[in-house]
Amino acid sequence: MIEISHLTKRYGNHTAVSDLNFTIESGKIYGFLGPNGAGKSTTMNIMTGCLSATEGQVTIDGYDIFADAEKAKKLIGYLPEQPPLYPDMTPREYLIFVAKAKGVAKPDIDKQLEYVTGVTGIEDVQNRLIKQLSKGYRQRVGLAQALLGEPQVIILDEPTVGLDPLQIIEIRDLITKLGKDHTVILSSHILSEVRAVCDAILIISHGKLVASDTPENLEKLFAGTATLQLTVKASLKEVEAALEKVDGITSLASVPAPDMPGAQQVTIESSGGDDLSEKVFFAFSDIRKPIVRMALSRASLEEIFLELTTKDTDDAPPDDTPVMAEVGGMVMADLSFGDETIEEVPHESDI
Amino acid sequence: MKAIFKREYRSYYTGIIGYVFAAFVLLFAGIFSMIYNLNGNYANFEYVLPMMTFVFLVTIPILTMRVMAEERRQKTDQLLYSLPLGMGKIVMGKYLAMLAVIALPCVIMCIYPLIFMAFGNVYLPSAYSALFAFLMLGAALAAIGMFISTITENQAVAAGICFVVMLLLYFMGSLASFVPATAFSSLIALAVLILVVAVIVRLLTKSTFAALVVFVAGEVVLVLAYVLRPEWFEGLFLSFVQQLSPFVRFDTFIDGIFDINALVYFISIIVIFLFLSVQSMEKRRWS
């Protein structure tokens, strides 16, 4: 569907995108993931013909975005980071304008208008002025605009940025719905979002593609180690003695539990991703020491993301990384409310 | 192109700019035709128009400032770039909308000579050809204003630059007549003019080389021409500037002459500046 080969964009001395290669297949939802300033928007702007590439080529269904611009652009619906709306028009007037400008035939305009306002849920506001609409509705009008002209590919640049949690969930549902009939490419720096809606993830960092796979495969690929955390009512000596009998432990750390006197907080890492929880449970039950809490964690998408995107930044402060991973982990548990927090994370590492 | 035209045209009248423009032109048309035609007892409407060309000084910057600069500020230019339309069609649609706004008061003014006909002898062809030239003058100035709007993101800056350019064009003819008509002073004045052109080239292209080429080539040709044929330079600067000023060009129509040369001149200005607007919009994709 979309072929990107050797794409490079330079602004003076600064290289925003360097030698990017990937292929987008039709019928899937792609997530374009990367920290702020990684080159996501630049790549999307080039793919939609809003920006020119310094080198390289983008073809949409065989049409070059520059040589065959009109044919290629007809296949794409684009929602830039800021929805391109005219505040003094009503959504209806605006959508009719876009439909005509995209060359939708007159008899089809009403039908398409009905479809896009229905699917984005803006029928109720279509006769109010755009400047009076909330950010969420503006985003939907922008999305409706992208859907006009029945494009095969829909490209969305950070579609949920600045929306409240409820709106984010609605837009995500909408994207999932659109993914049934269209190829969707969305960019985001929010991992939970990409994980929730995308069939495939492209991770981009410093203008380069660092990983491209399904979310499950990415997690599997990096799930080399599993970490078991537990709190046991026992002394340090008893813990060490009990765990000596368990095979497969590669590292062990034990500190007095801060919130429970007389208990130890133990962190065990095992190789090969083995789940040691059963063995550990019986080891402690044999000596009749109760485990009060136990949790297994494997490498999450956050950690993969951080590893991939911070690896080649020498200037990132090294002792910041574990803290950031922790923040990411918290956000993961609290999907839609933590977006603001995680927004900071890649940003810091990017500077 | 039709969609762009319609949207643009509507936007002039959903805001106040379209109405302000029409009101401003018609107000001065009313005042001057009252003074000249009604109080002065002349039935020639064409004599009213040269008195009111100054309205373009104020109205053209206001009319043209937002046409491209506003799209950039609102980020709607990204929509325009991603539409399956060539930039030429987009610029053309916007320009035609502007032209329609300029044409509206001109169409209303077409009634005036008909009214005067009831009271005296009116030679309609000269009145209407002057009115047509008035529209063409506005069209040429609007094309210049549109180009200025493409080079900046800020409407106020666009309006400011446009106003200064309009002012220069308006007073160009009368200022040039202060330059003595001798061959040598023409040479100096033209040399300075080439320097100014070179500076403008430098500002627009950011290429010192291109500016230097313009400057050196221009000056060399000028000096060579002066050495070989000094008699050409008698009064050359004045006539050169007067040929170049759209306001001076317009004046010939008032004497009842339908000046084809001037018409070609206006059309050339329009074509050149529309072309430059398209190039300036395309260039932004590359930076």
Side-chain angles (χ1 to χ4, degrees):
Chain A
M1 188 72 227
I2 301 183
E3 286 260 347
I4 289 180
S5 52
H6 304 290
L7 193 69
T8 302
K9 176 74 185 176
R10 276 187 288 269
Y11 295 105
N13 290 328
H14 172 68
T15 306
V17 174
S18 81
D19 199 30
L20 207 59
N21 295 289
F22 60 87
T23 308
I24 302 284
E25 289 162 33
S26 53
K28 280 191 184 171
I29 303 181
Y30 284 84
F32 217 45
L33 202 61
N36 294 337
K40 299 187 300 272
S41 290
T42 307
T43 310
M44 289 191 144
N45 276 334
I46 295 172
M47 284 163 78
T48 52
C50 292
L51 211 64
S52 68
T54 315
E55 277 161 41
Q57 205 184 19
V58 176
T59 57
I60 319 275
D61 217 8
Y63 298 115
D64 188 281
I65 192 74
F66 284 102
D68 283 317
E70 293 193 15
K71 278 180 188 146
K73 284 177 182 173
K74 269 200 175 20
L75 299 170
I76 302 179
Y78 180 40
L79 172 62
E81 200 169 347
Q82 260 195 21
L85 308 173
Y86 294 100
D88 287 328
M89 293 173 103
T90 68
R92 196 177 168 76
E93 289 167 349
Y94 172 72
L95 292 174
I96 291 175
F97 156 65
V98 175
K100 283 183 180 164
K102 283 189 176 180
V104 176
K106 258 212 176 110
D108 295 343
I109 289 181
D110 275 340
K111 209 174 64 196
Q112 284 202 23
L113 221 58
E114 202 178 317
Y115 167 70
V116 299
T117 52
V119 78
T120 52
I122 53 170
E123 295 112 322
D124 297 343
V125 296
Q126 58 177 311
N127 291 317
R128 280 162 56 183
L129 285 180
I130 289 175
K131 63 179 167 197
Q132 294 164 348
L133 297 182
S134 69
K135 184 123 198 327
Y137 272 115
R138 284 186 204 182
Q139 195 78 21
R140 287 162 190 238
V141 176
L143 198 56
Q145 165 273 123
L147 293 174
L148 284 170
E150 298 176 318
Q152 296 176 24
V153 189
I154 297 165
I155 298 180
L156 311 169
D157 195 356
E158 311 232 346
T160 57
V161 129
L163 301 184
D164 71 40
L166 195 68
Q167 291 170 329
I168 290 178
I169 292 171
E170 284 170 357
I171 294 280
R172 277 183 200 165
D173 289 346
L174 184 56
I175 292 169
T176 317
K177 205 155 58 174
L178 292 174
K180 291 188 181 108
D181 307 317
H182 307 266
T183 306
V184 182
I185 305 169
L186 64 95
S187 77
S188 181
H189 51 242
I190 303 161
L191 297 142
S192 52
E193 174 170 288
V194 168
R195 192 192 157 86
V197 299
C198 295
D199 303 316
I201 296 183
L202 303 161
I203 299 183
I204 180 171
S205 173
H206 300 278
K208 293 192 183 80
L209 192 68
V210 289
S212 151
D213 214 327
T214 62
E216 293 77 23
N217 280 347
L218 278 178
E219 278 172 338
K220 243 182 244 163
L221 196 67
F222 282 82
T225 57
T227 311
L228 199 60
Q229 279 205 315
L230 58 156
T231 310
V232 193
K233 279 195 174 163
S235 68
L236 180 59
K237 264 191 187 153
E238 285 164 336
V239 168
E240 281 172 348
L243 290 178
E244 222 161 66
K245 294 169 197 146
V246 180
D247 293 332
I249 295 179
T250 49
S251 87
L252 169 69
S254 187
V255 288
D259 54 343
M260 205 179 288
Q264 286 286 317
Q265 196 173 317
V266 189
T267 309
I268 300 168
E269 277 182 20
S270 64
S271 58
D274 289 341
D275 185 356
L276 296 177
S277 44
E278 266 183 44
K279 287 180 189 169
V280 170
F281 171 81
F282 286 118
F284 283 106
S285 78
D286 284 348
I287 57 168
R288 294 194 58 77
K289 293 292 172 196
I291 296 172
V292 213
R293 279 192 292 254
M294 180 151 76
L296 175 76
S297 66
R298 287 217 161 88
S300 68
L301 212 49
E302 267 79 19
E303 284 154 330
I304 298 168
F305 175 71
L306 285 168
E307 186 166 339
L308 287 172
T309 54
T310 53
K311 207 164 42 183
D312 45 2
T313 45
D314 310 324
D315 46 356
D319 46 349
D320 261 17
T321 316
V323 180
M324 291 190 291
E326 220 169 274
V327 175
M330 274 163 57
V331 173
M332 192 66 181
D334 194 7
L335 282 189
S336 35
F337 290 83
D339 294 333
E340 281 308 302
T341 332
I342 198 160
E343 209 167 59
E344 304 290 328
V345 176
H347 194 66
E348 276 176 31
S349 62
D350 193 46
I351 297 166
Chain B
M1 189 170 104
K2 229 174 101 188
I4 303 273
F5 169 80
K6 268 192 181 166
R7 200 209 73 77
E8 277 299 305
Y9 186 71
R10 268 195 48 122
S11 80
Y12 283 110
Y13 292 104
T14 46
I16 56 164
I17 290 179
Y19 297 107
V20 167
F21 178 80
F24 206 73
V25 172
L26 290 176
L27 172 72
F28 283 99
I31 292 174
F32 287 122
S33 67
M34 196 182 78
I35 295 172
Y36 194 80
N37 298 125
L38 302 184
N39 286 353
N41 286 327
Y42 282 102
N44 303 51
F45 182 64
E46 58 267 32
Y47 292 141
V48 171
L49 294 170
M51 288 190 262
M52 53 179 289
T53 50
F54 76 89
V55 298
F56 285 137
L57 283 185
V58 187
T59 52
I60 291 293
I62 292 172
L63 200 63
T64 59
M65 63 180 182
R66 47 166 288 288
V67 65
M68 290 297 181
E70 177 78 349
E71 302 268 1
R72 277 172 87 171
R73 197 187 57 78
Q74 275 174 190
K75 308 267 180 201
T76 40
D77 57 338
Q78 277 191 310
L79 174 71
L80 298 182
Y81 282 121
S82 66
L83 285 176
L85 282 177
M87 194 40 77
K89 285 183 185 163
I90 292 170
V91 166
M92 202 61 203
K94 281 174 168 285
Y95 179 70
L96 288 179
M98 212 144 67
L99 205 57
V101 173
I102 298 173
L104 183 77
C106 294
V107 170
I108 295 173
M109 282 194 285
C110 284
I111 304 167
Y112 292 21
L114 296 178
I115 296 172
F116 300 149
M117 250 168 76
F119 305 101
N121 278 331
V122 179
Y123 186 55
L124 284 181
S126 70
Y128 285 135
S129 86
L131 205 52
F132 177 69
F134 184 73
L135 174 64
M136 289 306 287
L137 173 66
L141 297 176
I144 298 172
M146 182 163 184
F147 169 66
I148 292 168
S149 183
T150 63
I151 56 177
T152 163
E153 197 165 335
N154 187 321
Q155 288 188 39
V157 173
I161 298 176
C162 189
F163 180 66
V164 171
V165 171
M166 294 297 131
L167 215 58
L168 273 176
L169 291 176
Y170 188 74
F171 289 110
M172 214 156 81
S174 33
L175 282 180
S177 56
F178 287 107
V179 176
T182 64
F184 184 69
S185 57
S186 278
L187 173 73
I188 298 296
L190 286 172
V192 171
L193 198 67
I194 290 171
L195 180 68
V196 170
V197 170
V199 168
I200 292 173
V201 168
R202 171 73 183 83
L203 287 177
L204 287 184
T205 63
K206 299 199 172 55
S207 152
T208 316
F209 179 71
L212 270 177
V213 168
V214 169
F215 179 71
V216 172
E219 301 291 357
V220 166
V221 169
L222 193 67
V223 172
L224 270 180
Y226 182 72
V227 171
L228 295 175
R229 293 266 187 282
E231 68 274 12
W232 283 2
F233 281 77
E234 293 287 337
L236 178 68
F237 183 69
L238 181 62
S239 64
F240 177 74
V241 167
Q242 285 183 338
Q243 294 286 307
L244 215 62
S245 166
F247 289 96
V248 175
R249 277 297 175 99
F250 166 72
D251 285 342
T252 49
F253 285 86
I254 293 138
D255 306 325
I257 302 162
F258 195 81
D259 186 353
I260 301 287
N261 283 341
L263 205 62
V264 171
Y265 163 80
F266 284 136
I267 292 170
S268 320
I269 294 254
I270 294 170
V271 171
I272 290 169
F273 279 94
L274 287 188
F275 174 75
L276 287 177
S277 301
V278 173
Q279 292 309 311
S280 150
M281 290 296 283
E282 287 288 353
K283 189 190 139 239
R284 294 200 34 233
R285 286 213 286 214
W286 295 89
S287 55

